[in-house]
Structure formats: C-alpha cells, structure tokens
Amino acid sequence: MESETLKLLTTLIAKPSITPDDAGCQQLLIERLSAIGFECETMVFGDVTNLWARRGQSSPLLAFIGHTDVVPTGPLDEWHSDPFKPEIRDGLLYGRGAADMKSGIAAMVTACEQFVKSNADHRGSIALLITSDEEGPSIDGTVKVVEALEARGEKIDWALVGEPSSSIELGDVVKNGRRGSINAILTVHGVQGHVAYPQLADNPVHRVMPALDQLAALSWDNGNEFFPATSFQISNMNAGTGVANVIPGQVEIHFNLRYSTELDDQQIIETTEAILKQYELDYSIEWSLSGYPFLTAEGELVEAAQQSIKQVTGIDTELSTAGGTSDGRFIAPTGAQVLELGPVNESIHKINEHVRVSDLDKLSAIYQGILEKLLP
Ligand SMILES: [Zn+2]
C-alpha cells in the first residue's frame, strides 16, 4: 500500500511554490483539512498567502507550524531530476521542498487525519498555521497571522514546527529554542583627502579599527546550559574610492550578533555604543532585530515529543538550540511552548534536495503520537 504521506508530499512538490508563491499548495491542504472538520481561513497579507486551519473551539490548542514556500532551485543542469517532478532513487525522494518542508506539512496532515479517525471528540483544539513566506522576508507571513490571532484572543499553547530538525536519523534532534539575532550597519565618518597629505584628512578606517578589534574580541557572555556563548561577526566592510591615492571619507561596517538568553538586545546596543563612544568616533548606526532568543526548556510538548519519538524510532532525542532562525521566533513571544521536529536537514536548500521515503510514515506517526498524548 502506498503511503498517504508520500502521495501528498509528491503532489505538493509538483507545485513550484517559490517564495512568496504558494502555487495552490494551501488549497490542497484546505480540501484535506475541511474534510476532517477543520475551519479553514485564508489570510492574505501583501503578496503572501497564509492558512489558519483549526479543529475545535476549546483550549488547549496545539498548532502545527509550517511553510509551503521553497527556495529557488539553483542551476537546473546540476539537478539529477527535475526539482518539481519528484522522483525516488535508492529510497530517497528528490525534489525542491522534499525536506524543507513539504514532508513536514504532508506528515502533519496525515497525522491529523489518522488521529481524528479514532479521536473525533478529542479535547482542546488542533490547528495548522501555514505560510508562503518563511524563506523570504518573513514580514507578511507567520508574524502577521500571530498578530491577528493575538488581536482576537486566540492563543496557541503548543506550537510544533515541522522544520527539518533531525541531523542524521529522523528524530535524533529537536530544536527547543533559538539564539537571538541582531544586525547593525555602522557608518563611521572621517574627512576624505590625499594620502600624501594625511594631516588634511581624517581616515575613518584607521579610527574604527581599534573599536572593531575590541568588539570582535569581547566576551559577551558564556552562554548557558542551552545556548552557546554569544558571537559577534562582521559580515561586510566597505570603504574607499577604488584608487590608491585617496583617503576615504567614510567606512560602512555590517555586523551580526547571534545571542543567548543571557543577554538582551538593549544590553547589546548599550555595550556596543559605549565602546564606539570610548574611541570618540563620528558615527551613525542602524540596528535591526531579526529575532529574540527563545527557549522551551521543558514542558508537556517537549515530553510528548520525546516519548513519541522514542516509541516510533527507538531514539532518545537530543534538545538543541543551534541553527538559523525559524518562524518559531514569532510564536514564542506569545508564551507558547515551541518545538521544532521534522526530517533530516542535511540536503536542505541544496541542489538535489531529498528526504528518506521510509521516514515519511514515521514522521506522521510521531506527530500522531504527540496529538494522542496532548489531546486525548
Ligand atoms: Zn523551512
């Protein structure tokens, strides 16, 4: 018998939903979920289509979180098969979105279908929050849906994000938090001039170097049980006119901090600006926060996931806060417990992205097990 999760996944991969185009994926989900008693609400913000599907009125509310959009394919001639024509070779299903994260979405839907079959009168509510803007700017996606839910008092208790969290085997790693991420663009002003007459100029590159050295060498914190130490990285640095005899008038430096829960964005800003002031720089700085750190150290959701993974795969899962940002960052501030659990992430965003076919039914069974534990 062919796996229902595999069937749904191949249909989803065949829809070329490159951010922010949903390409009809959510319509397919609406048909499947409406058939088992979900109320489906499409929320369009800008050019982004989002789906909020909910079954039940009462709390607690367990919401599966996912995205239908995928990243671009990259050079097509490097793919061994068409990225939007899913193909199985040696037990692996190839296609863009196979791992990130249409397999997670397919498994959520089939898990709900199986669960509802034997638990039509489950307690609380189940929801799916699906966006088509996770891989892009993430401005009109999950963050806006969460705002809309908050505004009408709809509260998520447990958020299960279907992003590919596993490292080598399905279920070996779940993500129970993320570091915060903050960006800055620092512009230091000097006076442009001839390199032969430095006394008539003021070189901003020379001025900023000791400050950057201090920032890069600074021990911001030591991290904690769940997070590595905060790290400061310069990503871009630009100055100069391109010729050899001109002292530049300004230098622009972009940097990012991935930070632990030992710090907050205000402390980072204050510490940085205190160092810049110490060197009496003429500067301007623009900060942008791309995500607060969050942590679900323990609780019913973590426990249910650990047990369900153990039952389905035999693995004792590891909790991790490593990796890039995810939409979990938008849900955690509402007070929800947030956990990411999905397939192996080794091929995500790459050429020849794939997922192990035998993991699909297991992932669905893990999600179903979590539903059974939390909403019996
Ligand atoms: Zn993803």
PDB file of all heavy atoms in Angstrom, residues 67 100-101 134-135 163-164, ligand 1:
ATOM      1  N   HIS A  67       5.560  25.965   6.373  1.00  0.00           N
ATOM      2  CA  HIS A  67       5.540  26.860   5.214  1.00  0.00           C
ATOM      3  C   HIS A  67       5.509  26.059   3.924  1.00  0.00           C
ATOM      4  O   HIS A  67       6.190  25.039   3.806  1.00  0.00           O
ATOM      5  CB  HIS A  67       6.732  27.827   5.225  1.00  0.00           C
ATOM      6  CG  HIS A  67       8.090  27.185   5.176  1.00  0.00           C
ATOM      7  ND1 HIS A  67       8.727  26.880   3.995  1.00  0.00           N
ATOM      8  CD2 HIS A  67       8.948  26.808   6.153  1.00  0.00           C
ATOM      9  CE1 HIS A  67       9.914  26.356   4.252  1.00  0.00           C
ATOM     10  NE2 HIS A  67      10.069  26.283   5.567  1.00  0.00           N
ATOM     11  N   ASP A 100      12.577  20.532   3.221  1.00  0.00           N
ATOM     12  CA  ASP A 100      12.283  21.863   3.789  1.00  0.00           C
ATOM     13  C   ASP A 100      11.173  22.526   3.000  1.00  0.00           C
ATOM     14  O   ASP A 100      11.442  23.224   2.044  1.00  0.00           O
ATOM     15  CB  ASP A 100      13.571  22.689   3.781  1.00  0.00           C
ATOM     16  CG  ASP A 100      13.416  24.029   4.486  1.00  0.00           C
ATOM     17  OD1 ASP A 100      12.371  24.261   5.107  1.00  0.00           O
ATOM     18  OD2 ASP A 100      14.338  24.845   4.399  1.00  0.00           O
ATOM     19  N   MET A 101       9.909  22.382   3.433  1.00  0.00           N
ATOM     20  CA  MET A 101       9.486  21.466   4.453  1.00  0.00           C
ATOM     21  C   MET A 101       8.145  20.853   4.107  1.00  0.00           C
ATOM     22  O   MET A 101       7.239  20.782   4.894  1.00  0.00           O
ATOM     23  CB  MET A 101       9.456  22.145   5.834  1.00  0.00           C
ATOM     24  CG  MET A 101       8.509  23.347   5.880  1.00  0.00           C
ATOM     25  SD  MET A 101       8.077  23.786   7.598  1.00  0.00           S
ATOM     26  CE  MET A 101       6.829  22.530   7.951  1.00  0.00           C
ATOM     27  N   GLU A 134       8.202  31.963   4.488  1.00  0.00           N
ATOM     28  CA  GLU A 134       9.158  31.683   5.564  1.00  0.00           C
ATOM     29  C   GLU A 134      10.567  31.872   5.039  1.00  0.00           C
ATOM     30  O   GLU A 134      11.439  32.360   5.736  1.00  0.00           O
ATOM     31  CB  GLU A 134       8.985  30.254   6.094  1.00  0.00           C
ATOM     32  CG  GLU A 134       9.654  30.018   7.450  1.00  0.00           C
ATOM     33  CD  GLU A 134      11.123  29.635   7.342  1.00  0.00           C
ATOM     34  OE1 GLU A 134      11.588  29.268   6.245  1.00  0.00           O
ATOM     35  OE2 GLU A 134      11.817  29.697   8.362  1.00  0.00           O
ATOM     36  N   GLU A 135      10.777  31.487   3.784  1.00  0.00           N
ATOM     37  CA  GLU A 135      12.127  31.536   3.195  1.00  0.00           C
ATOM     38  C   GLU A 135      12.481  32.944   2.719  1.00  0.00           C
ATOM     39  O   GLU A 135      13.633  33.213   2.422  1.00  0.00           O
ATOM     40  CB  GLU A 135      12.228  30.551   2.017  1.00  0.00           C
ATOM     41  CG  GLU A 135      11.899  29.105   2.370  1.00  0.00           C
ATOM     42  CD  GLU A 135      12.984  28.429   3.196  1.00  0.00           C
ATOM     43  OE1 GLU A 135      13.911  29.119   3.653  1.00  0.00           O
ATOM     44  OE2 GLU A 135      12.877  27.214   3.389  1.00  0.00           O
ATOM     45  N   GLU A 163       9.786  22.006  10.786  1.00  0.00           N
ATOM     46  CA  GLU A 163      11.047  22.239  10.064  1.00  0.00           C
ATOM     47  C   GLU A 163      11.980  21.050  10.251  1.00  0.00           C
ATOM     48  O   GLU A 163      11.953  20.382  11.289  1.00  0.00           O
ATOM     49  CB  GLU A 163      11.747  23.492  10.622  1.00  0.00           C
ATOM     50  CG  GLU A 163      11.044  24.796  10.339  1.00  0.00           C
ATOM     51  CD  GLU A 163      11.285  25.315   8.917  1.00  0.00           C
ATOM     52  OE1 GLU A 163      11.995  24.629   8.139  1.00  0.00           O
ATOM     53  OE2 GLU A 163      10.738  26.382   8.599  1.00  0.00           O
ATOM     54  N   PRO A 164      12.842  20.818   9.256  1.00  0.00           N
ATOM     55  CA  PRO A 164      13.779  19.695   9.341  1.00  0.00           C
ATOM     56  C   PRO A 164      14.800  19.891  10.456  1.00  0.00           C
ATOM     57  O   PRO A 164      15.773  20.615  10.288  1.00  0.00           O
ATOM     58  CB  PRO A 164      14.456  19.682   7.960  1.00  0.00           C
ATOM     59  CG  PRO A 164      14.184  21.019   7.371  1.00  0.00           C
ATOM     60  CD  PRO A 164      12.925  21.529   7.979  1.00  0.00           C
TER      61      PRO A 164
HETATM   62 ZN    ZN B   1      11.935  25.636   6.257  1.00  0.00          ZN
END
